[in-house]
Structure formats: structure tokens, C-alpha cells
Amino acid sequence: MYKQALSDTYRAYIDCLNRQDWPTLGQLLDENVHYNGERVGVAGYRAMLERDFRTIPDLRFVIERLIADPPHIAARLCFDCTPVGELFGLPVNGRRVVFTENVFYEFKDGKICAVWSVIDKAAVEAQII
């Protein structure tokens, strides 16, 4: 996959998440997709995202940085949102928080097959204390 095609596919994935277009998600993920080293499959990945959107009704994925080096993508995602209860085990309870996620993706046959994610939980904690 060329850099531009990989970037375009990734942007389509982010758009899919922001629209909560779950049927399309299955077209963008490998059926055996792994998340942080654990095989979750498409159903598990979708369940994780649905849970995120329940916890954060105004969740929106914003790409701050994007690097494509086929078959990998590295991205820094920004979030400015208002979780309704706990977020990452922290009692946010409706307060607005801003945080980032550094995430790496591996693609196989044009689909995401592995995701490694590190979320800046410390930034959330600093805003609610």
C-alpha cells in the first residue's frame, strides 16, 4: 500500500469512527484485529468503541499528526470532550477534558490488523483534581 492510499484509508477509518458507522468498520478492520497485543476481532473492537461513545457522548477523533510508513500509520489524536461518568477509572462526571492518544496501526491487505494505543491519562487526571 502506498503512503497516500494508506493515509486515505486511515482518514476513512477516523471518519467511520466519528460517524459511528459500525457496518463500515468491518470493512476497515481485519477480522482478527489486535488491540494492545490482544486479539479482539471486529466484534470486540466495535464493542470497545460503542462503550467509549456511551461514556463520552460527544467523542470526536481529531488527527493532530499523521505519519504513513507502509504498512504502518503513526498518529497523534486529540480529544476535547465531556465524559458522563468515569474515564480511565477517573471520576470526570460531566467535566470537559482535553487529552491526546498516541497510536500505531499495522495494515494487512488494506485493513487494520493491529493497534497499539497509549492515552495521556495524566492529562485527564490533572484537569479533574
Side-chain angles (χ1 to χ4, degrees):
M1 209 173 200
Y2 293 104
K3 286 184 180 188
Q4 189 59 54
L6 190 63
S7 294
D8 291 346
T9 299
Y10 181 71
R11 289 180 191 283
Y13 162 77
I14 292 296
D15 181 57
C16 170
L17 299 185
N18 285 331
R19 289 183 293 111
Q20 299 179 55
D21 181 1
W22 307 134
T24 298
L25 184 64
Q27 299 169 22
L28 298 165
L29 298 176
D30 183 85
E31 68 181 46
N32 293 307
V33 64
H34 284 69
Y35 182 80
N36 284 347
E38 179 183 342
R39 183 193 173 282
V40 293
V42 174
Y45 202 93
R46 176 179 173 167
M48 174 183 66
L49 288 165
E50 288 175 333
R51 186 173 49 254
D52 290 344
F53 276 96
R54 279 193 305 275
T55 303
I56 312 168
D58 62 348
L59 181 61
R60 179 154 180 77
F61 293 76
V62 176
I63 300 169
E64 180 182 291
R65 295 209 187 349
L66 177 64
I67 299 170
D69 186 14
H72 299 99
I73 285 278
R76 180 175 173 89
L77 303 175
C78 296
F79 303 92
D80 183 341
C81 55
T82 314
V84 294
E86 285 193 358
L87 182 66
F88 316 127
L90 300 170
V92 178
N93 300 322
R95 286 179 273 185
R96 177 179 169 251
V97 291
V98 177
F99 62 95
T100 58
E101 175 184 19
N102 295 310
V103 63
F104 296 89
Y105 302 83
E106 182 176 346
F107 285 72
K108 182 176 79 176
D109 299 326
K111 294 183 175 185
I112 296 169
C113 64
V115 179
W116 296 272
S117 166
V118 178
I119 296 174
D120 189 358
K121 180 180 172 182
V124 175
E125 190 169 25
Q127 293 169 68
I128 64 167
I129 296 178

